[in-house]
Amino acid sequence: GRDWRLPFLHFAMLMLMHYLAIAMSMSTSAVREACRATIADYAAVAEGYAVGNMNHDVSQNIDALLNPLLAELDRPLDILDVCCASGRDLVTFTKRGHRAVGLDGVPAFCAMSRELSGCEVWEQDLSALDLPPARFDGIYCNACLFHVPSAALPGALAALHDSLRPGGVLFVSNAHGFGEDKEGWTGGRTAATRSYVCWLSEE
């Protein structure tokens, strides 16, 4: 059958190649500011964001992560939910019998997700991940990696890869580019904040 890894690998290669020039020129301080500001943007609306997304149906994405693993492993899985926000999907993973750990850069989201799910949650910046090696069967990145500046994306992907066990699965979903390739700042969720994005168009 078709190798389910190919779509992700194709996406990753496109991202790396398309933004190589920008990545080479973006300073470490600029990367840190992009991530700091994006975290602050979400933090400014954390409660409302959590409520607004609580009932979103992402079961298709969760199944895309779990099904290949469960076809090979007859045991509870160790899952890392990256940018877990309210903890909604941590609850789903644990209800399905798996051992889930959350990760988010927004302190309020970390507190919310711990309270909602009862899971361990790590507060970390996507551009400076510090993950244990070979710790997880699956890593779930739902609609978050497009906030990582291209200069930091190879390092983030490497950190995620190294935290997977052999045969593990990295699931990534991303917002499409709304008809344009874009890397840079967008308007924030409040008048006083802004957010950094890095995405390709859907075409």
Side-chain angles (χ1 to χ4, degrees), residues 135-151:
R135 169 69 169 78
F136 298 103
D137 299 302
I139 298 180
Y140 180 71
C141 302
N142 187 54
C144 60
L145 291 189
F146 63 86
H147 283 306
V148 179
S150 59

Side-chain angles (χ1 to χ4, degrees), residues 10-31:
H10 178 67
F11 164 78
M13 287 301 297
L14 284 174
M15 289 287 284
L16 291 174
M17 293 172 64
H18 187 80
Y19 292 115
L20 182 59
I22 300 174
M24 293 175 65
S25 63
M26 192 173 189
S27 67
T28 300
S29 61
V31 168

